[in-house]
Amino acid sequence: MKKRIILYIATLLLLMSCGEEKNSFIIKGTLNNLGGRPLYAVYENSDGIVVDTMRPFDGKIEMRGVSPHRTAIQLYDASWSPFMRLYLCNGERVELKGDASLKYEIEMKGSSLNRSLWKLICNNHTIFMQTETSGVGVTRGSVALDKHERYTAQYDSVLIDYISRHGGN
């Protein structure tokens, strides 16, 4: 009888934990050299724009978000510089591992879309770095903004081409 009760409770706990993950997405991992500084996750869901803070503890980060449809999650470092972009929906999980100061060497586990896009970005990081740094401190109508818009168009072009060739999966 005790074994049945223990088995019943274990099954119930397992089912409850599975249900949680299907109602949210998860970003977690170990990133060294964050220096205790947070990462920020910004994304949109049915409630509007969400800004979530991931405070590292011994280099470990974790957050749960909610989006029933695939959404872009932009991660920013503590100075609000773009760090990484992910595409997740409820039920998906991404794990990151590496040195935050060498972001293009960070290892990623998760959906094939996120792994493939991260590989694409790492292999073309000079284009993506130019895009990230070209928009810092510019105002509308400046030459620097025109340069930023050109880099952004190139960035989007690479991603759109990749996604269209791979069926968006």
Side-chain angles (χ1 to χ4, degrees), residues 59-145:
K60 295 185 184 339
I61 57 164
E62 183 169 349
M63 72 155 281
R64 287 179 184 265
V66 176
S67 182
H69 306 287
R70 187 169 313 282
T71 190
I73 298 124
Q74 179 65 55
L75 300 183
Y76 294 94
D77 65 17
S79 63
W80 286 95
S81 294
F83 186 76
M84 179 182 287
R85 184 175 291 205
L86 304 166
Y87 299 87
L88 296 168
C89 63
N90 291 347
E92 294 184 330
R93 169 191 202 104
V94 166
E95 292 186 38
L96 307 171
K97 182 178 179 182
D99 187 331
S101 65
L102 302 169
K103 72 178 179 181
Y104 295 109
E105 296 178 16
I106 292 173
E107 297 172 22
M108 178 186 295
K109 292 181 182 177
S111 71
S112 62
L113 172 65
N114 283 297
R115 286 191 328 271
S116 297
L117 285 174
W118 185 239
K119 183 177 179 182
L120 172 77
I121 289 168
C122 291
N123 290 341
N124 296 279
H125 70 275
T126 53
I127 293 170
F128 295 101
M129 283 176 32
Q130 289 171 337
T131 304
E132 291 170 3
T133 59
S134 67
V136 177
V138 297
T139 58
R140 177 70 43 211
S142 72
V143 173
L145 184 58

Side-chain angles (χ1 to χ4, degrees), residues 27-44:
I27 301 170
K28 68 183 290 184
T30 303
L31 295 174
N32 301 319
N33 290 322
L34 283 171
R37 295 178 307 270
L39 289 179
Y40 301 101
V42 179
Y43 64 98
E44 188 172 0

